[in-house]
Amino acid sequence: MGSPRNVAVLVFDDVEVLDFCGPFEVFSVTGRREDLDLFHAYTVAERPAAVAARGGLAVLPAYTLADAPPADVLVIPGGFGTRREMNNAALVAWVRDAAARAELVLSVCTGALILARAGLLDGLQATTHHGALDLLESVAPETRVRRDRRIVDNGRIVVSAGISAGIDAALHVVAKLHGRDRALETARYMEYDWS
């Protein structure tokens, strides 16, 4: 099946835990029961120090923006920290560059704000956490914000609503890359009700 796809999961202070852990879990366990090495998931942060996720969960990133391996799949989670990070020029530039080289980009929740600031949602459709839809519309005037969708698939860029929707979106990506049966098997393993 070739080498596994690199899945870079961005983390930052005040990142929503399930926004990054849900997709990380999906990509980490896909194919593992059959000893298939389909994805190599890892965390990336601006600095090598521990990140304080929502609720105070400390996360030690595997890589920094400076030394992260190139991503085949780039995951941009949300959380209250996105309000700060969407104005972090270095992080936004890294996201723009990493996305240009990636096969696929997935944002969860208000991760869409970072994609918008990177110019990656212009001319596309997007969604985010229901509490941030108005903010996304103001940050991304060239984007059609879909208030009625849990997942929006623009081809290379997949955008999901908040928190648990990231699990659904990650399974959607697994189905795009490895087929629906593989995604269903992953959901079964996780005991997650996905349809």
Side-chain angles (χ1 to χ4, degrees):
M1 290 201 110
S3 57
R5 284 178 169 93
N6 281 343
V7 181
V9 181
L10 183 66
V11 292
F12 43 82
D13 286 340
D14 298 315
V15 64
E16 187 72 46
V17 174
L18 196 56
D19 278 12
F20 79 90
C21 285
F24 191 100
E25 176 78 4
V26 169
F27 292 117
S28 294
V29 303
T30 295
R32 295 296 178 173
R33 291 206 303 182
E34 298 168 45
D35 289 325
L36 297 174
D37 196 15
L38 301 179
F39 297 104
H40 170 233
Y42 50 88
T43 52
V44 180
E46 187 172 12
R47 292 173 295 282
V51 165
R54 185 80 187 267
L57 176 70
V59 179
L60 191 61
Y63 298 98
T64 67
L65 304 183
D67 65 9
D72 299 300
V73 178
L74 178 63
V75 179
I76 309 298
F80 283 104
T82 56
R83 275 74 164 179
R84 176 190 62 253
E85 299 303 339
M86 72 178 185
N87 297 308
N88 178 340
L91 184 134
V92 170
W94 180 85
V95 168
R96 186 183 303 112
D97 292 345
R101 293 190 303 270
E103 179 180 358
L104 196 143
V105 178
L106 167 62
S107 80
V108 181
C109 195
T110 56
L113 298 173
I114 295 174
L115 292 191
R117 279 293 163 86
L120 298 171
L121 297 181
D122 290 353
L124 302 181
Q125 297 182 42
T127 191
T128 188
H129 188 279
H130 65 270
L133 290 163
D134 291 342
L135 178 57
L136 180 59
E137 282 183 333
S138 69
V139 170
E142 302 299 317
T143 303
R144 180 176 175 210
V145 175
R146 297 296 304 262
R147 296 170 175 269
D148 58 335
R149 301 278 291 280
R150 189 166 170 85
I151 298 169
V152 176
D153 186 339
N154 293 287
R156 274 191 69 246
I157 297 184
V158 176
V159 187
S160 80
I163 312 179
S164 67
I167 298 172
D168 297 293
L171 289 165
H172 175 82
V173 169
V174 170
K176 276 177 72 95
L177 299 176
H178 290 287
R180 185 167 172 78
D181 287 347
R182 176 68 58 209
L184 286 167
E185 194 279 329
T186 301
R188 259 194 310 277
Y189 170 75
M190 292 175 62
E191 296 197 359
Y192 184 73
D193 185 12
W194 181 70
S195 58

